[in-house]
Amino acid sequence: MQAQGRTSRISRFNLPGRYAWCVSELVSPLNVLYILTTLPSRIQPISTTPSPSSLLGTGLPFWNELLAALFVIHYTNRAVIAPLYLAPSMSPIHISVFFSMSFFNFVNSSCIAAWLCYSPLPIGSNPSPTSSTALAIGLALFAVGLYGNVACDTTLFALRRGAAKRKARSEGRATVTYDKVYAIPPAEGWFRYVLYPHYVMEWVEWLGYAIVGYGAGMGFWKKPSMWFLVNEVAVMLPRAKDGKNWYEGKFGKKALAGRGGSLPGGWL
């Protein structure tokens, strides 16, 4: 049983969804910013001389700082913009889920920040042609993933608003409420082949992030960026499958239009 989102249950231990989500997700960017602004000045991982390419004053190379900035950009949308300004509503979150989310975000962001602090190339090193290609591909994937993720969420929010307004009109109510009001996305646009394209776009985003790290000389295999991607897929893949089953139970198999949860036409 889940304790958040559409399958949340009434409990005395529930927290307001918007603010619980916001606080737990803010752990990630705030922790990264704290570590990057304190650790490099105390422990220079490669050299006691700050990198001349540092733009943010951390003493780290440009690409390390850029990766930190991309991480913060993602979580600014995820922790603040989406829940507080874009989402019409969010279901209550059980306190156990809140602490689990906060703990994961703290551990993951600590690993990412330590990776950024301890992985810079020696001062004066220049990216190879292969690295430059990886940087370009990685940045493109991250941008496409971030845009797609936001676009999919915006579509879902609009569908919920429309469904809530139609329900209010049908019941003769002047006040529109969004609690437990859901609509299945039509099989078009981002949702043409899967029901959870925002999950797929987030995987694309973090794959691009890991590739940028590789292009910047910070490695890929068994690095925190790679494990973050693995964790994302491991958690969200079964969640998409459960969500597909929920959609089928509520709206019927015909409404699925042959779509999978996160893989086109598949079981998942």
Side-chain angles (χ1 to χ4, degrees), residues 18-243:
R18 290 183 190 273
Y19 304 109
W21 181 275
C22 176
V23 171
S24 64
E25 293 293 320
L26 273 176
V27 170
S28 283
L30 293 179
N31 191 40
V32 163
L33 289 174
Y34 172 75
I35 293 175
L36 262 70
T37 54
T38 57
L39 183 59
S41 62
R42 297 179 182 180
I43 307 173
Q44 291 294 338
I46 298 299
S47 169
T48 56
T49 303
S51 172
S53 65
S54 174
L55 298 179
L56 304 180
T58 66
L60 295 171
F62 166 78
W63 288 106
N64 298 60
E65 292 183 338
L66 179 62
L67 282 164
L70 295 178
F71 189 89
V72 171
I73 288 171
H74 169 86
Y75 275 98
T76 298
N77 173 70
R78 183 176 175 85
V80 180
I81 297 174
L84 299 185
Y85 298 101
L86 297 182
S89 70
M90 291 189 72
S91 297
I93 296 177
H94 195 273
I95 193 171
S96 63
V97 174
F98 169 79
F99 282 116
S100 295
M101 291 171 61
S102 300
F103 177 74
F104 171 79
N105 285 325
F106 176 76
V107 172
N108 180 64
S109 60
S110 296
C111 292
I112 292 290
W115 173 61
L116 295 175
C117 288
Y118 284 95
S119 299
L121 290 172
I123 293 175
S125 300
N126 295 313
S128 66
T130 301
S131 297
S132 298
T133 301
L135 291 170
I137 293 173
L139 287 172
L141 288 175
F142 185 89
V144 169
L146 178 61
Y147 174 80
N149 194 0
V150 173
C152 292
D153 282 344
T154 302
T155 300
L156 289 173
F157 297 153
L159 286 171
R160 286 195 64 194
R161 287 190 177 91
K165 290 177 181 178
R166 289 191 296 273
K167 182 178 180 182
R169 285 197 300 267
S170 67
E171 296 175 354
R173 292 185 288 106
T175 303
V176 178
T177 59
Y178 300 98
D179 185 46
K180 298 299 183 182
V181 176
Y182 299 102
I184 187 168
E188 60 187 33
W190 296 97
F191 298 85
R192 175 66 183 86
Y193 300 105
V194 293
L195 292 162
Y196 289 84
H198 44 311
Y199 286 10
V200 178
M201 288 296 100
E202 188 159 337
W203 301 340
V204 170
E205 186 180 354
W206 293 118
L207 174 61
Y209 188 83
I211 292 174
V212 172
Y214 168 77
M218 291 184 280
F220 181 88
W221 184 247
K222 296 183 180 180
K223 299 299 180 181
S225 55
M226 187 209 75
W227 287 120
F228 184 22
L229 174 61
V230 170
N231 281 323
E232 288 272 292
V233 175
V235 171
M236 297 166 78
L237 195 65
R239 189 183 298 171
K241 179 181 181 298
D242 290 341

